[in-house]
Amino acid sequence: MFVRSLCQTSVLLATLALQACSNDTPPTEGAAAPAAGADAAAPAARAPGAAVTAERLTNAESEPGEWMSHGRTYSEQRFSPLDQITAANVNQLGLAWYADLDTRRGQEATPLMVDGVIYVSTAWSKVKAFSARSGEPLWSYDPEVDGQWAVNACCDVVNRGVAVWEGKVFVGTIDGRLIALDANSGQELWDVNTIDKTKPYTITGAPRVIKGKVLIGNGGAEMGVRGYVSAYDANTGELSWRFYTVPGNPADGFENPILEKAAETWSGEWWKIGGGGTVWDSMSYDPGLDLLYIGVGNGSPWNHTFRSEGKGDNLFLSSIVALDPDDGSYVWHYQSTPGETWDHTATQQIIVADLDIDGMTRHVVMQAPKNGFFYVLDAATGELISAKNFTDVAWATHIDLETGRPVENPAARYDRTGQPFLSTHNPNGAHTWHSMSFSPLTKLVYLPIHGTPFIYGGAKEYSTTAMATNLGTDFSGNAALDPQEVLAKTYGRLIAWDPVKQEEVWRVERAGPANGGALATAGGLVFQGTGSGQFTALDATTGAELWSSHAQTGIIAAPMSYMLDGEQYVAIMAGTGGSWAMIGGDSNMKGMALPNESRLLVYKRGGTLQLPAPTSLVRPPMTPPPHTAADGTIAVGAPLFETYCGSCHGAGVVGVGLLPDLRRSPYLHDAEAFSQVVIGGALAPNGMASFASVMNQEQAQAVRAYIIMRANQDAPAAQQ
Ligand code: CA
């Protein structure tokens, strides 16, 4: 995690430092592009902002031009009823306005648009408001997160969005706070800590507001935490209720009766590591049933044998749980991966919809979690209606509809066999947080999926270690995979899935695995951005590409659409980053090697604005010092790098340019400066924490020797 290791350092390498520092947080606010039309209303003259009420959110379908909550409506269908932009005229789509952002990390947020104002969060949990008409910046808020907290973030310092309610804007921060802002001014109204600050929790997900309570989860199951979701009073920030997704130490007593039941599915002393089960992304709500649905994450550690002595289903890991939103009490659950051991989160988006199944209208929830199966459940009871794999999966053959349980491939249980298991998917799964969209018109779900070969190995021993991914899983077998074969089998695609027939209707192959979420519209279109920088519009019925525009950077976020003054707009956050870019290594290079140009892009028909000339991905030369270290030194440095550094700087020291590619680092030439960063914490404020608590000087130099060795291996090809 040698984050931004070129910043703030030797004059001698000032040019390189500038390049590297531009990877993050330039000090000045990015200016909005010239306005296509001036915004008539000055901020002071505006009506109270974000006047979103329970009535408006519950009846969001009656305001098709607004986008008032994360998935547009409580159902999280991410469907826009706007139909002005169609297959016949989408070729007229052009840039109406854009705003440069002041961070250079992954942008994952879905903007909200309420009463003419766009509210959006960016990397480092910042919040910005813009005139939706002109792009004029209205205010900007920085929670001033301690950069060192980035060491706890498995998958980049991202943020997926804000919530609005009765004049307030809510954001969760990467360091675990929930903050309320005045929607008109961006002034902070309250700021509460939602986590135990001695544990490596992070927040990347968007809050939701139900009946005056702000709901927020957290992440950290890769690092050793216990998952939960909390509800706070929107006016005061006072904690209303908290639902833990895994039981704690039985000796302390259980928070509620259902956790006592859940504890029967655990063995050993899971609570010492936390158990996992973080609620880091999906929440949806059904106002008719008055049920809140949360998606629960993977176990901590991943390895079921180390986590729970290889016994039990480990509720409520990898589950959808339905709760009463008033008090957080349990109603039902469905667990998609019992005894999970592969990072099979079920935090993926939960869509509430009506489907015609066997001649009846069924009110359902739908989810496509990491494990590669598409689930349709009864929304009131959690009864499994159907489940089918939406891509090739290796860990299970099918879901037994009688028992509701997966039929596993015994070889997949690396945690029990101790033998390596070659999966069709890495820990990003077959689908992760990249949003899917359901069109009630086509009755199809538009689902961004991905995969790459990956070996899960049974670790021989497990110990809790600070500042590292804490998984009990051995990744070293992946080094033996043929990189060309891995690339050939790495895919990313958008599929149209019929959730009634449980079958694929069409697919569009993308250049690489990490692409954006989907937006279906009543204009018969599906919008999606790609990791290779194309923002595209497809025919919702056939998948034929009808329009595309290059965003100059990879897109991983989902688009949204709104209407103002009788005109339909489509907006999307652009800016490569996130888990694929951080740890992807070679497999991620498929079409992903673009600079991070973080922007909010807004399109309309007849838009004529052009982006400034693109910057190219300039990388420092790969000119390492000669590799002279003894094999014994490399044998010390390599596992340290993969444990502490690889999750940000790339497995095998193959970065993609989001954070410094350490093979190109000038610190390879300067042992003392290298130690000042890694041990001394010289760049801590920028996110590169000191690793002094887990590494001594000698070990840090062994890591440097390993990087030098790797750079010498790769330099000949890099200089061609
Ligand atoms: Ca995970």
Side-chain angles (χ1 to χ4, degrees), residues 390-393 424-425 429-431 449-453 486-493 507 509-515 580 587 590:
F390 54 82
T391 186
D392 291 337
V393 297
T424 45
H425 297 90
H431 169 233
I449 70 174
H450 44 50
T452 189
V486 170
L487 274 177
K489 291 182 174 172
T490 298
Y491 68 92
R493 65 180 70 119
R507 70 169 65 176
E509 299 289 349
R510 298 308 195 185
N515 302 297
W580 280 98
S587 68
K590 284 185 107 169

Side-chain angles (χ1 to χ4, degrees), residues 540-557:
T541 305
T542 66
E545 183 173 302
L546 302 173
W547 170 85
S548 83
S549 178
H550 199 256
Q552 303 185 353
T553 185
I555 296 174
I556 52 176

Side-chain angles (χ1 to χ4, degrees), residues 636-650:
V636 170
L640 285 170
F641 180 92
E642 300 303 340
T643 300
Y644 296 110
C645 319
S647 63
C648 284
H649 289 280

Side-chain angles (χ1 to χ4, degrees), residues 617-685:
L617 187 63
V618 180
R619 295 176 162 179
M622 201 183 295
T623 53
H627 163 50
T628 56
D631 288 352
T633 305
I634 300 300
V636 170
L640 285 170
F641 180 92
E642 300 303 340
T643 300
Y644 296 110
C645 319
S647 63
C648 284
H649 289 280
V653 208
V654 181
V656 293
L658 185 69
L659 300 184
D661 179 343
L662 298 180
R663 296 169 300 178
R664 303 164 193 272
S665 170
Y667 288 124
L668 299 184
H669 297 266
D670 188 338
E672 173 55 27
F674 188 91
S675 281
Q676 280 175 12
V677 173
V678 177
I679 304 298
L683 299 178

Side-chain angles (χ1 to χ4, degrees), residues 510-653:
R510 298 308 195 185
N515 302 297
L519 167 71
T521 72
L525 299 171
V526 179
F527 289 89
Q528 187 199 24
T530 73
S532 49
Q534 295 292 341
F535 186 37
T536 67
L538 311 176
D539 184 306
T541 305
T542 66
E545 183 173 302
L546 302 173
W547 170 85
S548 83
S549 178
H550 199 256
Q552 303 185 353
T553 185
I555 296 174
I556 52 176
M560 54 78 80
S561 189
Y562 63 91
M563 182 171 270
L564 267 182
D565 306 332
E567 186 147 44
Q568 183 182 357
Y569 296 75
V570 180
I572 191 160
M573 296 285 275
T576 190
S579 57
W580 280 98
M582 297 287 273
I583 61 172
D586 278 334
S587 68
N588 196 41
M589 298 297 279
K590 284 185 107 169
M592 288 290 298
L594 288 167
N596 181 304
E597 297 284 0
S598 286
R599 288 189 180 112
L600 171 59
L601 303 171
V602 180
Y603 299 83
K604 67 174 183 179
R605 285 187 302 153
T608 55
L609 205 59
Q610 298 291 319
L611 291 174
T615 55
S616 55
L617 187 63
V618 180
R619 295 176 162 179
M622 201 183 295
T623 53
H627 163 50
T628 56
D631 288 352
T633 305
I634 300 300
V636 170
L640 285 170
F641 180 92
E642 300 303 340
T643 300
Y644 296 110
C645 319
S647 63
C648 284
H649 289 280
V653 208

